[in-house]
């Protein structure tokens, strides 16, 4: 009989200053198109002001890259989409990011985002399923 267990590939954590994110977006509004997916832009733009959401998602992307042991050059920012709106966030990988995750055996990524007093924090855990033979 086979049992499927889960193994942690890696954990990533990132911290982003909300005011720094606000400043970067204010100076270069087109950065939103380069960094964020359509779903992320739609969700974050609904908040007034949206800066905490942008910062948390940016931190989340960094945390995902770290959890997978990758570098930003191997995973274009827009190819990591943090979705889920008001509920529990989840990761959707596209293109090169999805291919890289598969290449390291990643089956899923869990993500947690939070923001408080001008800082946004994200923690990501990359996981793969492992079959264990018990007979």
């Amino acid at each position: 009989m086979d049992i499927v267990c889960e193994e942690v590939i890696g954990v990533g954590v990132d911290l982003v200053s909300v005011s720094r994110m606000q400043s970067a977006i204010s100076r270069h509004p087109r950065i939103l198109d380069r960094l964020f997916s359509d779903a992320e832009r739609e969700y974050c733009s609904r908040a007034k002001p949206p800066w905490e959401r942008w910062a948390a998602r940016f931190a989340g992307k960094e945390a995902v890259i770290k959890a997978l042991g990758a570098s930003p050059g191997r995973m274009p920012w827009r190819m990591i989409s943090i979705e889920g709106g008001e509920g529990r966030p989840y990761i959707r990988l596209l293109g090169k990011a999805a291919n890289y995750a598969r290449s390291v055996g990643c089956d899923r990524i869990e993500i947690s985002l939070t923001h408080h007093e001008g800082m946004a924090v994200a923690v990501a855990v990359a996981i793969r399923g492992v079959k264990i033979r018990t007979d």
Side-chain angles (χ1 to χ4, degrees):
M1 176 169 77
D2 291 337
I3 298 174
V4 176
C5 296
E6 293 182 329
E7 175 182 33
V8 172
I9 295 170
V11 176
V13 178
D14 199 61
L15 175 71
V16 172
S17 162
V18 174
S19 64
R20 246 181 115 194
M21 193 75 197
Q22 178 180 0
S23 177
I25 293 168
S26 295
R27 281 191 323 265
H28 308 284
R30 293 183 56 186
I31 197 171
L32 296 176
D33 294 331
R34 201 176 97 235
L35 296 178
F36 299 101
S37 69
D38 293 342
E40 290 171 312
R41 288 194 313 274
E42 180 184 328
Y43 172 72
C44 292
S45 294
R46 289 194 309 251
K48 302 299 179 212
W51 315 117
E52 289 176 333
R53 288 183 178 181
W54 292 122
R57 273 157 178 71
F58 186 79
K61 291 168 185 280
E62 285 273 3
V64 166
I65 290 167
K66 291 173 182 176
L68 290 170
S71 65
R74 297 201 45 125
M75 285 198 193
W77 298 104
R78 282 181 47 98
M79 299 292 106
I80 302 166
S81 186
I82 301 171
E83 301 178 9
E86 301 301 328
R88 180 178 172 188
Y90 63 92
I91 300 296
R92 186 162 55 98
L93 299 177
L94 307 164
K96 286 183 178 181
N99 292 339
Y100 184 85
R102 276 192 292 275
S103 78
V104 297
C106 182
D107 295 318
R108 87 173 192 278
I109 300 171
E110 293 292 335
I111 186 91
S112 181
L113 309 172
T114 192
H115 43 78
H116 181 68
E117 293 186 1
M119 299 303 290
V121 178
V123 177
V125 180
I127 301 166
R128 78 171 135 235
V130 178
K131 282 188 182 178
I132 299 174
R133 192 135 192 116
T134 60
D135 48 306

